Amino acid sequence: MKIENLKSVKADSSAVKILGRTLSDNSVLWLILSASGVEFEVSAKCLYFNLVGDATAHPPADGKTSEMNWARYEIFVDGKSVHLGSMDEAEKSVCVFEGSETRKARVRLLKLTEGTQSFMGIKDIMIDGDGTISPTARKNLLIEFIGDSITCGYGVEGKSAEELFTTQTENALKAYAYMTAENLGADCNLTSFSGFGIVSGWTDSGDLNPIQLVPDHYKKFAFSWNTKMFENREWDFSTYRPNLIVINLGTNDDSYTQDKEERQAQYASEYVKFLKEVRKENPASYIILSMGIMLGGNRLFPWIEKAAAEYTKQTGDTRLSTLHFVPQTEEEGFGSDYHPSEATQIRCAGVLTDFIKSLIAKGKISTGISEDEKKRLVDVAYRMQDFSYSPYSNFRVGAALLTREGKIYTGCNIENAAYGPSNCAERTAFFKAVSEGERNFRAIAIVGSPKGKSDDFCAPCGVCRQVMAEFCSPDFEIILSKNGGEEIKSHTLAELLPLSFSL
């Protein structure tokens, strides 16, 4: 089938699930950072991607091209790799499949390389006229990894430690971060930049490198050595609210701090400042501060522990842990520029996966509520409206509270002629649960409306939010619904009550 006879579908959230830090500009979805891309369900006879590159994909004036900075990408169909390519042209069309019969499949396209070297874009997706595309569901567990070249998968496909860097040996999908997310069935964002640190970027001389600092670029879409595209555009943190953030920064800082205690203390102090910034943008996330993997930088781990302790002392925030990886070994081998081999990355992914599973088991990390669970809670909440005692307001509210063990406690609003003794549906559910010994909660569904109507969301009042803060973690999920359950949206407790009172 000729591509000119196909219909064009734009890679936006109505058609695809967007993965990682991406940016839509002039109808092109630009894949910026490592492991950014799209995923969707398709039913079609044929499927093509029309891709575009940045300045690195354009041949220079002498007609020669350099693969050092080309963006790499990989396309998967039903979990199997079907195409591995590089943006060696300004534009290219890639056929994923075509035939005479309609095919149903789950398709994922991911950028393997980091934003510091190059960007690439999805101009559109082409399918036959009868074909359809729809986004896959977002996973219950969302993770953000903040890191350096280790997180980017720098040199993981290199053959030796002496091999110099090129994007053609970089593969974020073979890095511990992405593999950990896959092990846990999670979606992930990789906010990672090779050579970057907290107080100093990589330095051969031992002098301060103030250019390559993650805190300066965390709020931006990307930093690139090779293009000025989007350099002043900021990331919208509301588009991705991770349950968990894993920070792995310090290897590059160590090239500056070395064994100098004053510099190491400076690193810890700047780490505390960065943690506050991360927490400000991600109030509900659990945070893991990790260190190790490469041989350099391990002497900074005690200073990470000091930073964590100081941060908790200053803020009272205890929702964080530290993790020290065992560094790479000769037996595991090395990738380019002495970076971790695939064997090292696999081992560290296993360590991190087990560590996260232990935190989930302890209830420290919420894995979110599935769409089916949300609908079930909403249905229960709607049924509870029938029991509302609201003769004065005629506003009926129902609530369904889910514990971490899966039990549901229900509530409705109960009014009183004196008004003061009235009780909201949310507090009715909480007080029933607490009076029976429950203390660990995952989510609550709330619906409210005058009898016969259901055309607006009903958010909890301030008193109910404070009661939730007494018993729930900041990532506790508050599910609202209207129109009889046709529309559902969720907020975390941290979003609805950012400054709760506590003693």
Side-chain angles (χ1 to χ4, degrees):
M1 188 176 294
K2 293 182 178 180
I3 195 167
E4 57 265 25
N5 295 329
L6 304 179
K7 68 178 180 181
S8 169
V9 179
K10 293 300 179 184
D12 58 31
S13 59
S14 68
V16 302
K17 177 169 71 172
I18 295 174
L19 304 167
R21 287 201 181 186
T22 65
L23 186 150
S24 183
D25 185 73
N26 292 325
S27 297
V28 174
L29 182 68
W30 286 94
L31 313 184
I32 306 295
L33 298 188
S34 303
S36 57
V38 298
E39 185 181 73
F40 55 88
E41 302 284 355
V42 62
S43 176
K45 294 177 181 177
C46 60
L47 172 66
Y48 284 79
F49 282 103
N50 287 330
L51 306 176
V52 295
D54 63 5
T56 63
H58 293 253
D62 60 8
K64 297 179 180 179
T65 58
S66 172
E67 66 176 20
M68 178 180 176
N69 296 311
W70 289 341
R72 294 179 78 204
Y73 61 91
E74 193 163 7
I75 300 172
F76 299 85
V77 175
D78 292 332
K80 296 182 179 180
S81 177
V82 298
H83 181 81
L84 177 64
S86 298
M87 287 308 300
D88 52 356
E89 304 174 62
E91 294 192 26
K92 60 169 51 180
S93 180
V94 178
C95 176
V96 181
F97 62 78
E98 61 180 346
S100 59
E101 300 295 326
T102 297
R103 180 175 180 181
K104 293 184 178 180
R106 173 169 294 195
V107 178
R108 176 182 285 199
L109 183 152
L110 292 171
K111 179 173 179 278
L112 308 183
T113 50
E114 61 187 286
T116 59
Q117 306 306 123
S118 50
F119 310 151
M120 62 175 287
I122 301 174
K123 187 177 180 180
D124 58 3
I125 303 166
M126 306 294 290
I127 55 176
D128 56 276
D130 294 327
T132 60
I133 287 178
S134 60
T136 55
R138 180 162 277 188
K139 303 290 182 63
N140 291 339
L141 179 60
L142 306 181
I143 309 176
E144 179 180 34
F145 295 91
I146 305 174
D148 49 32
S149 56
I150 302 170
T151 305
C152 292
Y154 178 115
V156 69
E157 294 182 358
K159 303 303 181 185
S160 71
E162 291 74 28
E163 188 175 322
L164 298 179
F165 172 78
T166 166
T167 55
Q168 304 311 295
T169 60
E170 184 172 65
N171 190 338
L173 310 193
K174 295 182 179 180
Y176 76 95
Y178 183 84
M179 288 191 287
T180 296
E182 288 292 286
N183 290 345
L184 295 167
D187 283 337
C188 65
N189 274 17
L190 271 56
T191 308
S192 50
F193 316 87
S194 289
F196 279 54
I198 293 283
V199 70
S200 175
W202 174 262
T203 171
D204 289 317
S205 65
D207 296 329
L208 180 71
N209 173 2
I211 304 299
Q212 295 170 266
L213 301 181
V214 171
D216 290 348
H217 296 277
Y218 180 56
K219 290 186 175 182
K220 298 180 180 180
F221 270 93
F223 167 88
S224 176
W225 298 110
N226 299 307
T227 179
K228 297 294 184 182
M229 293 171 65
F230 318 129
E231 64 178 351
N232 295 318
R233 300 281 286 272
E234 293 198 347
W235 171 247
D236 181 0
F237 286 90
S238 69
T239 62
Y240 187 83
R241 294 294 191 190
N243 312 79
L244 169 65
I245 295 173
V246 180
I247 304 176
N248 188 354
L249 291 168
T251 300
N252 295 305
D253 296 278
D254 183 74
S255 66
Y256 164 72
T257 58
Q258 301 177 35
D259 284 316
K260 299 176 181 178
E261 189 169 330
E262 182 179 349
R263 293 184 178 184
Q264 292 172 326
Q266 181 188 6
Y267 165 80
S269 177
E270 292 301 316
Y271 209 133
V272 171
K273 292 179 184 178
F274 183 53
L275 280 174
K276 291 178 180 178
E277 191 63 41
V278 171
R279 174 58 78 211
K280 178 182 175 182
E281 302 296 348
N282 304 277
S285 305
Y286 194 85
I287 303 174
I288 297 174
L289 315 182
S290 63
M291 184 63 189
I293 302 185
M294 286 189 73
L295 294 173
N298 287 281
R299 54 190 163 185
L300 275 178
F301 184 72
W303 293 91
I304 288 179
E305 295 179 308
K306 290 179 182 180
E310 181 61 25
Y311 167 78
T312 297
K313 179 181 177 182
Q314 291 183 20
T315 65
D317 183 358
T318 60
R319 301 192 66 248
L320 72 168
S321 300
T322 58
L323 172 66
H324 187 213
F325 291 104
V326 174
Q328 61 197 146
T329 65
E330 293 278 355
E331 291 73 23
E332 291 172 336
F334 300 96
S336 303
D337 289 334
Y338 288 90
H339 276 70
S341 65
E342 188 172 357
T344 300
Q345 295 276 15
I346 290 172
R347 171 176 58 79
C348 292
V351 170
L352 182 56
T353 299
D354 290 342
F355 186 69
I356 293 171
K357 284 182 176 179
S358 71
L359 293 173
I360 292 173
K362 295 174 184 176
K364 293 182 179 293
I365 301 173
S366 169
T367 56
I369 306 298
S370 71
E371 294 303 314
D372 286 343
E373 285 179 304
K374 289 179 183 179
K375 290 177 182 177
R376 182 164 64 99
L377 283 178
V378 165
D379 287 344
V380 174
Y382 273 114
R383 291 200 296 271
M384 288 308 299
Q385 280 187 298
D386 293 338
F387 299 101
S388 167
Y389 179 76
S390 47
Y392 307 104
S393 70
N394 291 314
F395 193 90
R396 307 179 310 146
V397 183
L401 175 63
L402 179 67
T403 70
R404 292 196 179 276
E405 288 71 35
K407 190 172 181 180
I408 297 176
Y409 287 84
T410 57
C412 62
N413 58 324
I414 305 170
E415 295 181 350
N416 189 282
Y419 284 21
S422 298
N423 203 52
C424 296
E426 301 92 306
R427 280 179 282 150
T428 300
F430 265 97
F431 294 161
K432 285 168 67 176
V434 172
S435 69
E436 295 185 23
E438 299 286 357
R439 294 294 186 274
N440 298 307
F441 305 102
R442 291 182 66 198
I444 188 170
I446 308 164
V447 298
S449 61
K451 188 172 183 178
K453 294 184 178 180
S454 179
D455 57 359
D456 204 358
F457 294 111
C458 179
C461 72
V463 174
C464 286
R465 297 182 198 197
Q466 185 61 45
V467 169
M468 293 176 192
E470 183 71 23
F471 297 105
C472 305
S473 60
D475 60 0
F476 176 73
E477 195 161 350
I478 300 167
I479 304 161
L480 310 178
S481 177
K482 66 178 183 179
N483 295 330
E486 291 183 7
E487 295 183 60
I488 297 174
K489 67 177 182 178
S490 298
H491 298 276
T492 63
L493 177 58
E495 290 174 321
L496 296 189
L497 190 64
L499 296 172
S500 62
F501 177 78
S502 62
L503 291 174

